[in-house]
């Protein structure tokens, strides 16, 4: 059997290996994740027999048999394969010619060297916990090791007990055969850092990590508590911060900064303050910048800061603990004070949201309301319903197609402008010239009735815009046009018409309105014709979602700038044969919820009648009613229109309605 064949056999034996660890390999049952860096409180790993792997649906760990053996025994490379061959009793003809199995021990025979030498890399996770306990017991029985921690490292016995530090007098793992007297610092349930107590040891012989494993040392509450968190390099630095009253995360090495960045980005963090306080040297400063750049704006409530020369000239937190523990405690206290001040500032800001903090503004608004701006529409009956006219807020006016909603709203705008108030009209369907001609047409009608007692000389919109017809008009007709244009010009300075076809959205509307206020100092009345063809806020959203967003933004604009906004809305076709009601607006987004005033227009007679015996008869009557009104319009004759106020936050007469003729000369 060659190595590749053995590799496949080992992977096929994953189910057996899981059972040897006491894990049920049922694909439908979850078990605790086998990733040493994942504290899996809710079992989230499962066995996948098809892929011959285990997968964690929480942290994403994905392991085959060899991966698990490497984790359990701290091995990699050829040593990993040799261990796997032994576990599954495989014999390989090549790749291991010099390997010999250990001699079979006689019953009761003990390997004294194995017990005296810490070989955690050959231990399973459950054995490591026992080892950590034995190492801790050794430390508590070793005055020399305790004296090293206290005198050389400034670590007191309380910290030793709190973090279950240990001691191994004959440490050989990864030392190249040398024997160290090493302090054992558990960095997780299954990983550790060994620190050589020989102060004369060179840099390469000071620290060893779990074989193949270098993890972040995260103190309890380091990423979820209410205390500031210090990010340091070494485990002894983290212990020093803890002894001084703080909370820390140790990278284990400056090269591990990416693990910290990835951890924060993946799991988030809710601590109030993260303080990057790495070693006070060039590498520490460079790594600090990498962390800050890597995290960027992590959002949430966390704030990330760096503290240049946090250790007052010392290299790191442990050196400061030894030289000036009071200064280290002061550093922790300053961080605590920063958090306390942030909390107090947040509390003060939040309390401003109480009603008590708004009472002064409330009184001011009442005083200002004595001179509050409202704009009469020019229709006395409508103004009576609206408590005087248009106030700041969102007014939605809807009707079926071609009923005259634009004509009606345009007359309201003209009458407001004639009273001296600026009006901004966003015409998303009709051209500017067409709107101007509509207004002049209405003026010719009213002027002709007043001067001649008949509307015969009045001109339609088309009759005004088609220049070739003017040569056929009589003297009275031409004079009527001149007079009407002069009248329109008298208030046209208060009218601002912006035309667009699908290219004007709520952002542009806000920009134009606020520019008008900034340049003129006047808060205008705004009309939008019509809501359904406002440019989409988000091209990827549905029409209804964009409509909802547009209405909400227009409502916000009316509130922010304290102005009336009139939005014209078309009805959905399902309601063409029904009387005007809230349901007429259902397909138009959130207009019925967000509007301050909701008005529906309909032909007089659209409401249910006693003579309607059934729906079929009613629909027939309504269809005849609509056809008759369309014929009247084409013949230039007035039509009776009902205006229903369906909702009125700005007045007391919601549900009221009135009638007027289509030429709006009531």
């Amino acid at each position: 059997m060659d190595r590749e064949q053995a590799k496949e056999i080992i992977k096929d034996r994953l189910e057996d290996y899981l059972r040897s660890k006491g894990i049920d390999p049922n694909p439908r049952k979850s078990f605790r994740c086998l990733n040493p860096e994942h504290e899996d409180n809710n079992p989230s790993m499962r066995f996948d027999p098809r892929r011959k792997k285990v997968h964690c649906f929480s942290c994403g760990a994905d392991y085959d048999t060899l991966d698990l053996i490497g984790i359990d025994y701290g091995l990699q490379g050829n040593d990993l394969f040799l261990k796997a061959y032994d576990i599954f009793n495989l014999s390989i003809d090549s790749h291991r010619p010099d390997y010999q199995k250990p001699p079979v021990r006689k019953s009761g025979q003990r390997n004294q060297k194995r017990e005296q030498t810490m070989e955690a890399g050959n231990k399973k996770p459950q054995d490591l916990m026992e080892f950590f306990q034995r190492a801790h017991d050794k430390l508590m029985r070793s005055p020399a090791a305790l004296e090293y921690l206290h005198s050389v490292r400034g670590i007191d016995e309380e910290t030793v007990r709190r973090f279950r530090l240990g001691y191994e007098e004959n440490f050989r793992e990864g030392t190249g055969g040398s024997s160290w007297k090493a302090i054992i610092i558990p960095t997780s349930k299954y990983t550790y850092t060994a620190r050589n107590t020989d102060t004369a040891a060179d840099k390469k012989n000071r620290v060893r990590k779990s074989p193949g494993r270098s993890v972040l040392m995260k103190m309890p509450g380091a990423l979820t508590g209410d205390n500031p968190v210090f990010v340091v390099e070494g485990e002894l630095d983290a212990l020093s911060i803890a002894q001084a009253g703080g909370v820390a995360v140790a990278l284990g090495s400056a090269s591990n900064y990416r693990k910290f960045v990835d951890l924060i980005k993946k799991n988030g963090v809710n601590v109030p303050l993260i303080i990057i306080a790495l070693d006070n040297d060039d590498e520490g400063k460079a790594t600090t910048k990498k962390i800050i750049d890597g995290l960027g704006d992590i959002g949430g409530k966390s704030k990330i800061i760096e503290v240049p020369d946090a250790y007052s000239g010392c290299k790191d937190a442990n050196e400061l603990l030894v030289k000036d523990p009071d200064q280290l405690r002061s550093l922790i206290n300053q961080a605590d004070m920063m958090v306390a001040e942030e909390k107090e500032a947040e509390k003060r800001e939040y309390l401003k949201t109480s009603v008590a903090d708004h009472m002064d503004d409330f009184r001011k608004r009442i005083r200002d309301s004595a001179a509050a701006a409202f704009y009469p529409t020019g229709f006395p009956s409508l103004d009576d319903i609206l408590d005087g006219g248009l106030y700041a807020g969102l007014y939605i006016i809807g009707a079926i197609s071609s009923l005259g909603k634009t004509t009606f709203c345009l007359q309201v705008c003209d009458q407001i402008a004639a009273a001296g108030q600026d009006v901004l009209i966003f015409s998303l369907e009709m051209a500017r010239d067409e709107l101007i001609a509509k207004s002049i047409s209405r003026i010719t009608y009213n002027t002709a009735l007043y001067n001649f007692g008949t509307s015969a000389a009045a001109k339609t919109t088309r009759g005004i815009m088609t220049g070739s017809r003017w040569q056929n008009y009589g003297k009275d007709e031409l004079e009527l046009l001149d007079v009407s244009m002069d009248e329109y010009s008298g208030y046209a300075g208060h009218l601002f018409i912006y035309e667009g076809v699908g290219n004007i959205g709520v952002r542009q509307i806000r920009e134009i309105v606020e520019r008008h206020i900034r340049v003129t100092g006047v808060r205008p009345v705004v009309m939008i014709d019509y809501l359904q063809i406002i440019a989409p806020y988000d091209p990827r959203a549905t029409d209804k979602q964009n409509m909802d967003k547009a209405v909400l933004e227009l409502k916000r604009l009316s509130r922010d700038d304290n102005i009336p906004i009139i939005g014209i809305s078309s009805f959905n076709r399902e309601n063409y044969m029904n009387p005007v009601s809230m349901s007429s607006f259902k397909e138009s987004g959130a207009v019925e919820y967000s509007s301050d005033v909701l008005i529906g227009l309909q032909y007089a007679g659209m409401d249910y009648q006693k003579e309607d015996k059934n729906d079929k008869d009613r629909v027939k009557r309504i269809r005849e009613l609509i056809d008759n009104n369309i014929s009247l319009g084409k013949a230039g004759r007035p039509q009776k229109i009902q205006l229903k106020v369906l909702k009125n936050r700005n007045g007391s007469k919601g549900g009221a309605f009135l009638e007027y003729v289509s030429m709006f000369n009531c």
Side-chain angles (χ1 to χ4, degrees):
M1 178 187 308
D2 62 24
R3 183 165 179 166
E4 288 303 315
Q5 292 172 326
K7 184 176 180 181
E8 291 304 314
I9 292 174
I10 293 168
K11 290 184 177 181
D12 288 339
R13 299 287 297 277
L14 177 57
E15 190 171 351
D16 294 335
Y17 189 72
L18 290 174
R19 285 197 176 93
S20 73
K21 294 169 64 66
I23 296 172
D24 182 0
N26 187 333
R28 297 184 178 181
K29 290 185 179 180
S30 298
F31 50 89
R32 290 188 183 278
C33 180
L34 299 176
N35 178 1
E37 297 185 29
H38 179 198
E39 296 182 7
D40 191 11
N41 296 321
N42 296 309
S44 52
M45 179 168 272
R46 286 189 182 183
F47 168 56
D48 184 349
R50 183 180 61 82
R51 297 171 57 241
K52 302 174 186 177
K53 286 188 174 185
V54 291
H55 180 78
C56 179
F57 293 90
S58 177
C59 73
D62 203 60
Y63 301 139
D64 61 18
T65 316
L66 287 167
D67 294 326
L68 294 180
I69 294 172
I71 291 172
D72 290 346
Y73 294 93
L75 299 173
Q76 54 188 340
N78 195 54
D79 291 339
L80 170 59
F81 279 95
L82 295 178
K83 185 65 179 178
Y85 300 155
D86 286 340
I87 291 174
F88 296 109
N89 196 26
L90 301 177
S91 178
I92 308 300
D93 296 330
S94 59
H95 298 288
R96 47 178 284 179
D98 57 345
Y99 177 73
Q100 295 181 359
K101 291 184 179 180
V104 178
R105 299 176 191 167
K106 296 179 180 179
S107 177
Q109 184 178 1
R110 303 180 64 188
N111 187 334
Q112 297 294 332
K113 184 177 181 180
R114 182 177 178 87
E115 288 203 358
Q116 294 174 0
T117 303
M118 194 205 97
E119 294 178 332
N122 293 324
K123 293 180 180 292
K124 295 182 179 180
Q126 55 267 34
D127 296 332
L128 274 173
M129 299 306 294
E130 297 175 5
F131 166 75
F132 287 154
Q133 182 60 50
R134 290 197 300 271
H136 178 68
D137 292 341
K138 287 183 181 180
L139 177 59
M140 300 310 296
R141 295 194 302 267
S142 174
L146 288 172
E147 179 61 21
Y148 165 81
L149 283 172
H150 180 66
S151 300
V152 179
R153 294 297 178 179
I155 303 298
D156 59 25
E157 190 169 324
E158 181 182 349
T159 302
V160 168
R161 293 182 184 277
R162 178 182 171 190
F163 293 96
R164 309 297 293 172
L165 305 187
Y167 176 64
E168 175 55 52
E169 72 279 8
N170 193 20
F171 178 82
R172 292 177 178 273
E173 194 67 47
T175 64
S178 299
S179 178
W180 292 6
K181 297 181 187 302
I183 299 298
I184 307 302
I185 306 173
T187 52
S188 74
K189 289 182 179 180
Y190 310 123
T191 58
Y192 65 90
T193 290
R195 165 69 67 166
N196 194 346
T197 61
D198 182 1
T199 57
D202 57 34
K203 187 174 182 179
K204 293 182 179 180
N205 290 294
R206 294 176 188 170
V207 177
R208 289 294 183 272
K209 306 289 183 181
S210 306
R213 309 295 298 168
S214 179
V215 301
L216 305 176
M217 181 182 179
K218 303 185 290 290
M219 293 184 172
L223 299 179
T224 58
D226 294 326
N227 297 314
V229 175
F230 287 80
V231 179
V232 296
E233 285 190 31
E235 291 82 6
L236 284 171
D237 297 324
L239 294 173
S240 301
I241 294 290
Q243 186 168 302
V247 177
V249 172
L251 301 181
S253 168
S255 61
N256 280 347
Y257 80 93
R258 175 53 61 185
K259 289 185 178 181
F260 177 73
V261 171
D262 292 343
L263 176 69
I264 298 301
K265 285 189 171 182
K266 181 176 181 180
N267 299 325
V269 62
N270 286 315
V271 295
L273 181 65
I274 297 176
I275 303 169
I276 312 299
L278 304 184
D279 288 3
N280 188 19
D281 55 22
D282 291 341
E283 184 180 22
K285 293 173 183 177
T287 305
T288 296
K289 185 178 186 306
K290 291 177 182 178
I291 293 176
I292 298 292
D293 293 344
L295 290 177
D297 182 11
I298 62 173
K301 67 177 184 179
S302 297
K303 181 179 181 181
I304 302 176
I305 65 171
E306 55 178 307
V307 184
D309 195 20
Y311 305 123
S312 303
C314 294
K315 179 179 181 294
D316 52 33
N318 184 242
E319 185 177 329
L320 184 58
L321 176 69
V322 174
K323 292 185 176 180
D324 193 346
D326 289 339
Q327 182 62 32
L328 183 59
R329 282 190 287 270
S330 176
L331 178 65
I332 307 298
N333 291 336
Q334 289 175 25
D336 289 337
M337 288 176 60
M338 288 180 63
V339 171
E341 290 172 359
E342 288 283 343
K343 286 184 177 179
E344 185 60 31
E346 182 182 10
K347 180 179 179 181
R348 288 195 301 269
E349 195 64 29
Y350 177 75
L351 291 178
K352 290 181 181 180
T353 64
S354 73
V355 175
D357 204 71
H358 290 271
M359 288 307 297
D360 288 341
D361 289 339
F362 177 72
R363 291 188 176 94
K364 182 178 183 299
R365 285 193 293 271
I366 291 177
R367 291 193 298 270
D368 293 344
S369 69
F374 68 91
Y375 311 101
T377 65
F379 293 107
S381 298
L382 179 58
D383 289 336
D384 181 54
I385 293 173
L386 299 178
D387 200 19
L390 303 181
Y391 291 81
L394 181 59
Y395 294 74
I396 304 294
I397 298 176
I400 64 174
S401 179
S402 302
L403 183 137
K405 49 189 179 292
T406 299
T407 303
F408 168 67
C409 292
L410 184 60
Q411 182 172 348
V412 169
C413 290
D414 283 355
Q415 289 168 175
I416 291 173
Q421 170 61 34
D422 287 0
V423 179
L424 272 58
I425 299 173
F426 294 89
S427 180
L428 309 181
E429 185 179 37
M430 295 184 183
R432 180 187 292 107
D433 287 352
E434 189 174 359
L435 292 183
I436 294 172
K438 267 182 169 290
S439 294
I440 294 172
S441 173
R442 183 188 66 252
I443 296 173
T444 65
Y445 179 88
N446 290 332
T447 302
L449 282 179
Y450 182 80
N451 290 334
F452 311 126
T454 175
S455 62
K459 299 303 174 191
T460 64
T461 299
R462 183 171 297 175
I464 294 172
M465 295 186 68
T466 308
S468 60
R469 294 187 181 186
W470 284 50
Q471 60 187 354
N472 298 320
Y473 293 158
K475 180 181 177 182
D476 290 343
E477 292 173 305
L478 293 173
E479 287 182 356
L480 176 63
L481 284 168
D482 285 341
V483 169
S484 299
M485 288 185 181
D486 288 343
E487 181 177 338
Y488 181 79
S489 298
Y491 61 81
H494 293 293
L495 290 170
F496 300 81
I497 300 175
Y498 296 88
E499 57 184 358
V501 180
N503 60 344
I504 294 182
V506 288
R507 292 189 184 93
Q508 289 79 12
I509 291 173
R510 175 180 280 274
E511 290 171 0
I512 292 170
V513 169
E514 293 184 344
R515 183 188 179 200
H516 184 93
I517 295 172
R518 185 175 64 253
V519 172
T520 67
V522 176
R523 298 184 182 277
V525 174
V526 175
M527 184 186 92
I528 300 162
D529 183 22
Y530 59 96
L531 295 177
Q532 279 76 12
I533 54 177
I534 289 178
Y537 200 89
D538 181 357
R540 295 170 294 182
T542 65
D543 290 344
K544 188 177 187 304
Q545 289 171 332
N546 277 313
M547 182 65 177
D548 290 346
K549 180 66 174 177
V551 170
L552 290 172
E553 290 300 319
L554 291 174
K555 169 66 177 177
R556 184 176 288 113
L557 176 60
S558 71
R559 181 190 62 200
D560 292 348
D561 289 339
N562 197 31
I563 58 174
I565 296 180
I566 303 169
I568 299 176
S569 175
S570 63
F571 284 170
N572 58 76
R573 292 188 177 276
E574 293 178 2
N575 286 279
Y576 272 29
M577 297 296 172
N578 296 324
V580 165
S581 66
M582 286 283 193
S583 63
S584 303
F585 294 88
K586 284 295 183 183
E587 299 304 318
S588 299
V591 293
E592 68 271 30
Y593 303 111
S594 301
S595 60
D596 295 292
V597 178
L598 191 61
I599 295 173
L601 305 180
Q602 67 178 15
Y603 293 117
M606 289 284 292
D607 288 324
Y608 296 105
Q609 305 292 331
K610 292 181 179 179
E611 58 267 27
D612 294 334
K613 297 178 181 179
N614 51 50
D615 285 344
K616 184 177 180 181
D617 289 342
R618 184 182 63 80
V619 170
K620 180 181 178 182
R621 179 180 64 81
I622 296 300
R623 185 173 287 111
E624 291 174 351
L625 174 66
I626 293 175
D627 290 343
N628 182 56
N629 276 284
I630 291 175
S631 297
L632 289 174
K634 289 180 178 179
R637 296 173 59 189
Q639 308 143 62
K640 284 190 176 181
I641 306 295
Q642 282 185 329
L643 182 149
K644 281 191 173 183
V645 180
L646 303 170
K647 173 185 176 184
N648 188 7
R649 286 179 180 164
N650 292 347
S652 59
K653 298 182 180 180
F657 69 92
L658 55 90
E659 291 187 1
Y660 52 88
V661 295
S662 62
M663 301 307 291
F664 307 111
N665 60 341
C666 55

